[in-house]
Amino acid sequence: MLDRLYARIIALAASRHAVIWLAVIAFAEASVFPLPPDIMLVPMVLACRARAFRLAAICTVASVCGAVLGWVIGSFLLEYLAMPIVRFYHAQNTLLTLQERFREWGVWIILIKGLTPIPFKFVTIASGAAHLSLVPFLLACAVTRGARFFLLAALLRRFGAPIQAFIERRLPLVAGLFALALVGGIVALKYI
């Protein structure tokens, strides 16, 4: 089953609509979607390593634009839009903790958390809820998301063939580690 899913993702990553889906996922992940854009970025870079930095740039720009939506949700629509998302993830205490930490640490929280597997939407919504200034927020998002996506693209571009061979040989392990990192990021929110 994983082999078929992997083959489908690789085929989708090579399709003519893949860039649009990458941008949509990166945008949505920064505001409402639970899966990181890596699920599209990795196979897209592996499918065509020459486009690695272009894809990282698209991912970064879309993620920063999505972060603005997350900030707006936190700033102006917290009760109507953000709280259902927060309640869905059982993260009410996490949101309160993040708001307090944003007031104390400001953009440093974004710079650190934007590189981790913690869902970025929590960071963007909490920064809006803490009324972090928009310009420093945008700059920090651009730096941290750009660093994450460009580093990943650079590694895949440089070591793509061995990484792809490893993924294909050990697909269940890679899928398990990815799921563990995603769940670990969500669970880590309770201990931030």
Side-chain angles (χ1 to χ4, degrees), residues 5-26 36-60 62 149 152-157 160-161 163-164 167-168:
L5 178 61
Y6 177 75
R8 177 71 182 126
I9 289 172
I10 291 293
L12 180 62
S15 77
R16 63 187 177 112
H17 300 294
V19 172
I20 294 168
W21 281 111
L22 175 66
V24 167
I25 291 171
D38 307 59
I39 63 172
M40 285 297 292
L41 181 61
V42 170
M44 288 178 72
V45 171
L46 291 176
C48 183
R49 292 195 317 256
R51 298 186 319 165
F53 297 124
R54 178 176 170 259
L55 295 170
I58 291 167
C59 210
T60 300
F149 298 135
L152 179 60
L155 290 172
L156 290 170
R157 181 181 170 129
I163 290 172
Q164 186 170 5
I167 289 171
E168 290 171 356

Side-chain angles (χ1 to χ4, degrees), residues 100-114:
E100 184 56 40
R101 292 209 176 137
F102 271 103
R103 288 184 192 101
E104 183 179 346
W105 294 97
V107 297
W108 288 105
I109 296 287
I110 298 166
L111 292 170
I112 293 167
K113 303 291 184 212

Side-chain angles (χ1 to χ4, degrees), residues 166-184:
F166 177 83
I167 289 171
E168 290 171 356
R169 276 194 320 272
R170 294 184 176 82
L171 190 57
L173 173 67
V174 171
L177 290 174
F178 179 77
L180 184 63
L182 184 63
V183 171

Side-chain angles (χ1 to χ4, degrees), residues 122-139:
F122 291 122
V123 174
T124 63
I125 292 169
S127 64
H131 301 291
L132 189 65
S133 296
L134 187 57
V135 172
F137 168 77
L138 286 173
L139 292 174

